Amino acid sequence: MDYPKIVVKPPGPKVRELVERESRVLSPGIGVKLFPLVPRRGFGPFIEDVDGNVFIDFLAGAAAASTGYSHPKLVEAVREQVALIQHSMIGYTHNERAIEVAERLTTIAPVNEPRIIFGMSGSDAVDMAVKVAKFSTGRPWLLAFIGAYHGQTLGATSVAAFQSSQKRGFSPLMPNVFWIPYPNPYRNPWGINGYENPDELINRVLDYLEHYVFAHITPPDEVAALFAEPIQGDAGIVVPPEDFFVQLKGLLEEHGILLVMDEVQTGIARTGKWFASEWFRIEPDLLIFGKGVASGMGLSGVIGRAELMELTSGSSLLTPAANPVISAAAKATLEIIEKENLLENALRVGAFIMKRLREMQEEFEIIGDVRGKGLMIGVEIVRDERPDPELTGKICWRAFELGLILPSYGMFGNVIRITPPLVITEEVAERGLEIMETAIRDALAGRVYKKVVTWH
């Protein structure tokens, strides 16, 4: 195959110049710069930088570029819409494209009798879900999981528990939030092997919630909702035991507590189903979506049971939300996923990647765990079963030099994240995995002297 294509060792001169210029005008608060990468254009699952290097993309812009880059149908839909009208605020007027997107989302979401609120990013959608939960229940407390990443607005930061550095200097945050351990089968506070003993792990989490949190921290009748990712994303693609959410929801329902599933990263076909909640056989009370719904172009929202969504008029108004151009992008995205069978592609190529990674795991002791669903896959790198973020960062840096965008992240910075565009083929995936394997060998041989940046 023709790609990747490295014409100058990355980062090239144009990239270095732009990175230096950016440092003079933008705050470091805008993000964690995983790679010195300045894209010029994208096509399919590939990104070309300003120096002419072409990379295979295993990141998809934080799993947001669901249909890849510059998909002809997406480009056409956006071009046609912006030529007609680029802005019509759904807070004051009505928007045909937004209505069409909402109608489609309500048919695919695993929520009973759903209605929708639109936002612009996962973060503001989390804030809106907080408002819905508190308004509809009249209760003050929220629960969430350790390791959860829910966003960067003040409310979303208050609910998240991914890295403490993301909260430093911003207190007081929103009060009345408490966190419990997530049932990570590979690495949990109790040292339980959740793959061999899933019921024991589930029982330990539920026992902690019922007999410690509800008994000693907050009365359950004052808890509005529990926020959860069906598969924890930034914590390192953590997949819970299959029966966990069914049992959790049963306990929550005993106390009238809502289950809010944050599917910003896991939703819109990423895991091989429209929403990952379907893997765990549950219907959330509220479901948060974003990222991939408009191929990364800035649409999000909350899908909730109708009786929960009767909010005060204008209380969830955001000026650019679901504007005609973004709604056209979302409509095109959903149609592309359906017509091009990208759900099936996510399952097929995801299974292919998992098989190859497990073969690597047999060869390399440093691969402690391989996990995921569809095209949301994590590879945990360890030394003597302990997280090794240094080696992980070097593997990912070497992959970058060879033409593969391969990020490292996770609660301990030692998980390789594989979330490519849903249009990726087995051929492209295989080439990316070949590069990853070479990068592992080079890093183990001491031939890599730099590492990628990750959350800290």
Side-chain angles (χ1 to χ4, degrees):
M1 60 182 298
D2 296 333
Y3 304 109
K5 182 175 68 175
I6 301 300
V7 297
V8 57
K9 184 177 180 179
K14 293 180 180 178
V15 167
R16 293 197 300 271
E17 178 196 355
L18 285 162
V19 168
E20 196 280 327
R21 285 169 56 189
E22 181 186 278
S23 69
R24 298 199 300 265
V25 292
L26 292 180
S27 164
I30 63 170
V32 178
K33 302 291 189 174
L34 305 176
F35 303 95
L37 176 69
V38 184
R40 185 181 75 86
R41 71 181 183 114
F43 50 101
F46 305 105
I47 287 178
E48 180 180 339
D49 74 5
V50 292
D51 288 297
N53 293 320
V54 179
F55 299 83
I56 296 172
D57 183 16
F58 270 14
L59 175 60
S66 51
T67 59
Y69 301 102
S70 304
H71 193 291
K73 293 178 182 176
L74 180 71
V75 172
E76 180 183 8
V78 170
R79 182 183 290 124
E80 287 181 358
Q81 183 58 58
V82 78
L84 291 171
I85 183 171
Q86 86 283 0
H87 178 64
S88 171
M89 189 178 127
I90 63 170
Y92 292 156
T93 59
H94 304 276
N95 177 339
E96 182 180 5
R97 289 287 172 266
I99 293 168
E100 291 172 337
V101 172
E103 288 173 338
R104 184 67 186 117
L105 288 172
T106 57
T107 65
I108 62 175
V111 178
N112 187 40
E113 297 183 3
R115 294 178 73 178
I116 291 179
I117 297 169
F118 279 121
M120 297 174 291
S121 72
S123 298
D124 62 53
V126 169
D127 278 20
M128 289 189 290
V130 170
K131 293 172 77 172
V132 172
K134 291 192 171 189
F135 186 85
S136 62
T137 65
R139 298 178 177 188
W141 278 88
L142 300 173
L143 299 176
F145 285 101
I146 297 169
Y149 177 82
H150 291 299
Q152 294 292 345
T153 55
L154 194 67
T157 297
S158 300
V159 178
F162 171 50
Q163 296 288 350
S164 62
S165 62
Q166 300 304 297
K167 299 185 179 185
R168 182 177 290 118
F170 298 129
S171 292
L173 295 170
M174 184 175 66
N176 296 81
V177 184
F178 192 80
W179 298 269
I180 62 176
Y182 194 81
N184 182 339
Y186 182 72
R187 192 180 298 282
N188 57 73
W190 303 284
I192 298 169
N193 185 326
Y195 295 123
E196 295 182 0
N197 302 295
D199 291 339
E200 183 182 356
L201 180 57
I202 291 170
N203 290 338
R204 197 65 64 93
V205 174
L206 297 184
D207 179 76
Y208 184 88
L209 176 59
E210 187 168 21
H211 297 114
Y212 288 85
V213 177
F214 289 163
H216 304 289
I217 306 298
T218 177
D221 60 357
E222 292 190 5
V223 177
L226 183 147
F227 281 67
E229 298 163 274
I231 298 171
Q232 284 198 325
D234 286 33
I237 316 292
V238 182
V239 184
E242 184 178 344
D243 293 334
F244 173 66
F245 280 109
V246 169
Q247 295 189 42
L248 174 65
K249 194 168 193 302
L251 176 59
L252 297 178
E253 287 177 344
E254 289 178 18
H255 300 289
I257 299 170
L258 304 178
L259 177 60
V260 183
M261 290 299 245
D262 181 344
E263 295 239 29
V264 172
Q265 186 170 165
T266 56
I268 316 299
R270 170 56 52 190
T271 67
K273 293 186 183 290
W274 280 113
F275 294 98
S277 295
E278 300 170 59
W279 283 110
F280 303 102
R281 309 183 311 281
I282 56 162
E283 292 185 359
D285 298 293
L286 301 173
L287 186 153
I288 305 167
F289 66 91
K291 286 190 186 294
V293 70
S295 297
M297 289 184 63
L299 184 69
S300 69
V302 180
I303 307 173
R305 291 192 287 112
E307 66 267 25
L308 304 176
M309 304 292 278
E310 293 296 329
L311 303 180
T312 303
S313 178
S315 61
S316 299
L317 182 154
L318 296 169
T319 299
N323 66 68
V325 177
I326 297 304
S327 295
K331 184 172 184 286
T333 296
L334 295 171
E335 290 175 351
I336 291 165
I337 291 172
E338 192 162 33
K339 293 178 180 178
E340 298 189 7
N341 299 315
L342 297 188
L343 284 156
E344 293 83 353
N345 194 66
L347 291 173
R348 183 178 61 257
V349 181
F352 171 79
I353 293 173
M354 291 281 281
K355 180 177 181 294
R356 286 283 287 108
L357 290 172
R358 290 202 165 108
E359 291 170 355
M360 289 188 209
Q361 187 178 17
E362 291 292 319
E363 181 176 357
F364 299 107
E365 291 184 358
I366 62 162
I367 298 180
D369 195 26
V370 175
R371 55 195 180 235
K373 296 280 190 185
L375 287 172
M376 185 175 182
I377 298 168
V379 181
E380 185 152 344
I381 303 299
V382 299
R383 294 267 199 179
D384 300 320
E385 298 185 356
R386 297 179 62 83
D388 193 334
E390 182 79 14
L391 179 60
T392 310
K394 287 183 176 180
I395 292 169
C396 294
W397 180 265
R398 182 59 176 143
F400 173 66
E401 291 182 324
L402 296 173
L404 174 66
I405 299 171
L406 187 72
S408 69
Y409 72 157
M411 289 182 67
F412 307 101
N414 70 313
V415 177
I416 294 173
R417 172 183 187 169
I418 300 176
T419 56
L422 302 180
V423 296
I424 194 168
T425 63
E426 286 188 12
E427 180 188 17
V428 175
E430 172 61 26
R431 182 69 188 104
L433 292 168
E434 288 172 356
I435 293 171
M436 177 177 162
E437 186 169 357
T438 298
I440 290 173
R441 295 185 189 282
D442 287 351
L444 288 173
R447 293 192 286 266
V448 185
Y449 305 102
K450 296 185 71 174
K451 62 180 181 178
V452 299
V453 175
T454 189
W455 292 88
H456 54 81

